[in-house]
Amino acid sequence: MHVADYVWYITVGVLLALLAFDVFIIGRRPHEPTTRESAIAIAFYVGLAVLFGLGVWAFSGGNYAGEFFAGWLTEYSLSVDNLFIFLIIMSRFGVPRKYQQTALLVGIILALVFRGIFIAVGAAAINQFSWIFYLFGAFLLYTAVHLARQGENDDEDFKENAVIRFAKKRLNATDEYNGVKLTVIKNGKRLVTPMAIVIVALGTTDLLFALDSIPAIYGLTQEPFLVFTANVFALMGLRQLYFLLGDLLKRLVYLSLGLSVVLAFIGVKLVLHAMHENELPFINGGHHIEWAPEIPIWFSLGFIIITLGITTVASLRKSRALPADPAADTDDPPAASNGTPAASNGTTEPELDPKTKAELDALREPEPHESDSKKP
């Protein structure tokens, strides 16, 4: 795919302008976006990505358009999983709702910077070493196994990395937020606010996620232009998506499992591609392995769409189903093991013979004069 320099300049300029508008116009006032505001922004960014893909189809053909859409969907799904970690971080540090928008915006910008660096490094490595696909494939397979073992998304799965622990222990920090500022002066001493720790947490999380996303996108396309644009479009609108989905993020319980299947598929695709282009002397004598198949992009795109669709439907079905509680469906006291109703204090009343039971019932009935005295 040949991309002229002016196309690069125009694309990067437009995307940076959109990002600057989001940062300096929309995000300058800390607030919680409304549902309407979030929905409009997401529809705009998703529509822009679809139009871009159609433009790639018109100017470069359906194969490159398929590579863009496959890469964009994969990166978007990884970014949504990233949002779940952001949700946990916000909860752990108790970030006020009106300040979460600014924290998310900084986190997304850091993610864009880190991914840009990894894209450039990955492109240079691919141009120099064809065997790098073996490493990318192995890393994705390892990541897929890790996600599969993690199972359902859970707050307990999140563990603070070494950078976060160091920042919390070594930095002079206060427990009080000072708006969205990173520092505050108290008693003549400058202290770090919790917002600074949150930014560190988001940044290091973005760095770890970039390690997964870049090999994944290079498994679907080796065109740096498509890799860059797919990542940028996948990050656009995530801030609004965070507020629009809300608790729905927690309901995507099978997202990690679905992503593990997608990453494993891409990992196998990368290994097969590396075998097809093999130049390592200790594998097949340094010759290409001709029997290794090349998985077409239309198959990859279909596999990703079907897998993510099944993941979403299964997650929503499970989160909607409530566990049945037989005891809650009836007002009768729970029966004991012998079928006798249990007493309210947890003990079981002994069985009585009919005569004794009739005498007890007679004692429990109110006397006629007692009932009459209560009448008005």
Side-chain angles (χ1 to χ4, degrees):
M1 180 181 182
H2 175 70
V3 181
D5 292 341
Y6 73 89
V7 177
W8 268 102
Y9 298 148
I10 294 175
T11 303
V12 174
V14 171
L15 294 180
L16 289 180
L18 289 173
L19 184 62
F21 177 79
D22 200 6
V23 173
F24 298 109
I25 304 300
I26 299 179
R28 65 179 178 178
R29 179 175 59 89
H31 71 288
E32 180 180 350
T34 62
T35 301
R36 183 175 180 273
E37 178 184 347
S38 299
I40 292 175
I42 294 170
F44 173 75
Y45 289 127
V46 170
L48 199 62
V50 172
L51 287 177
F52 181 84
L54 294 177
V56 173
W57 194 332
F59 289 99
S60 300
N63 189 66
Y64 288 119
E67 291 181 0
F68 169 77
F69 283 119
W72 173 58
L73 287 174
T74 301
E75 295 298 318
Y76 202 82
S77 301
L78 289 171
S79 298
V80 172
D81 195 42
N82 202 353
L83 278 185
F84 182 79
I85 303 300
F86 284 1
L87 184 68
I88 297 175
I89 292 175
M90 298 292 184
S91 177
R92 292 283 179 90
F93 289 94
V95 182
R97 189 77 172 174
K98 62 180 180 179
Y99 300 147
Q100 291 183 10
Q101 178 180 224
T102 302
L104 285 169
L105 193 59
V106 174
I108 291 171
I109 293 175
L110 291 175
L112 185 61
V113 172
F114 289 139
R115 293 191 186 191
I117 295 173
F118 278 99
I119 288 171
V121 173
I126 289 172
N127 290 332
Q128 293 293 327
F129 313 104
S130 63
W131 50 263
I132 198 71
F133 288 107
Y134 283 116
L135 295 181
F136 282 175
F139 182 75
L140 287 183
L141 290 174
Y142 166 79
T143 304
V145 173
H146 176 72
L147 285 176
R149 288 181 176 179
Q150 175 179 315
E152 302 177 7
N153 285 334
D154 192 357
D155 291 7
E156 300 300 327
D157 296 328
F158 174 74
K159 295 180 177 60
E160 296 178 351
N161 56 52
V163 178
I164 301 176
R165 294 194 298 268
F166 176 83
K168 293 174 67 175
K169 291 181 179 179
R170 300 299 181 183
L171 297 179
N172 294 325
T174 178
D175 295 333
E176 300 177 0
Y177 282 89
N178 185 26
V180 295
K181 296 180 179 179
L182 304 183
T183 61
V184 62
I185 297 179
K186 281 191 174 182
N187 300 325
K189 188 176 182 180
R190 185 170 293 276
L191 302 176
V192 174
T193 65
M195 181 64 72
I197 310 296
V198 171
I199 297 302
V200 172
L202 296 178
T204 52
T205 302
D206 287 330
L207 181 61
L208 296 177
F209 270 86
L211 293 175
D212 298 338
S213 63
I214 299 307
I217 187 67
Y218 272 116
L220 298 169
T221 178
Q222 283 81 56
E223 297 295 333
F225 182 74
L226 297 181
V227 172
F228 173 75
T229 52
N231 273 275
V232 173
F233 281 115
L235 292 174
M236 285 185 174
L238 283 185
R239 178 169 55 87
Q240 292 85 355
L241 185 64
Y242 174 90
F243 290 99
L244 182 64
L245 295 182
D247 293 336
L248 182 61
L249 285 173
K250 294 183 178 182
R251 295 174 61 186
L252 298 177
V253 293
Y254 292 136
L255 180 60
S256 293
L257 291 175
L259 286 175
S260 68
V261 174
V262 172
L263 292 181
F265 169 78
I266 299 175
V268 171
K269 186 175 185 295
L270 278 171
V271 172
L272 292 175
H273 178 76
M275 294 169 63
H276 190 77
E277 303 290 334
N278 177 64
E279 295 178 353
L280 294 177
F282 54 87
I283 298 179
N284 199 35
H287 300 291
H288 302 331
I289 303 177
E290 299 298 338
W291 59 263
E294 286 281 1
I295 300 177
I297 191 60
W298 63 266
F299 184 87
S300 301
L301 179 59
F303 182 87
I304 292 170
I305 293 175
I306 293 174
T307 302
L308 295 178
I310 294 175
T311 299
T312 303
V313 173
S315 297
L316 296 180
R317 285 177 62 88
K318 179 175 181 179
S319 61
R320 192 180 298 117
L322 297 176
D325 188 3
D329 296 336
T330 178
D331 295 332
D332 296 334
S337 58
N338 59 358
T340 306
S344 59
N345 60 357
T347 59
T348 305
E349 294 182 359
E351 292 188 15
L352 302 176
D353 58 273
K355 182 178 179 181
T356 304
K357 187 175 181 181
E359 293 176 355
L360 288 175
D361 292 339
L363 291 175
R364 289 170 183 165
E365 294 179 356
E367 295 295 334
H369 66 275
E370 292 179 350
S371 59
D372 293 338
S373 62
K374 294 181 181 180
K375 293 182 180 180

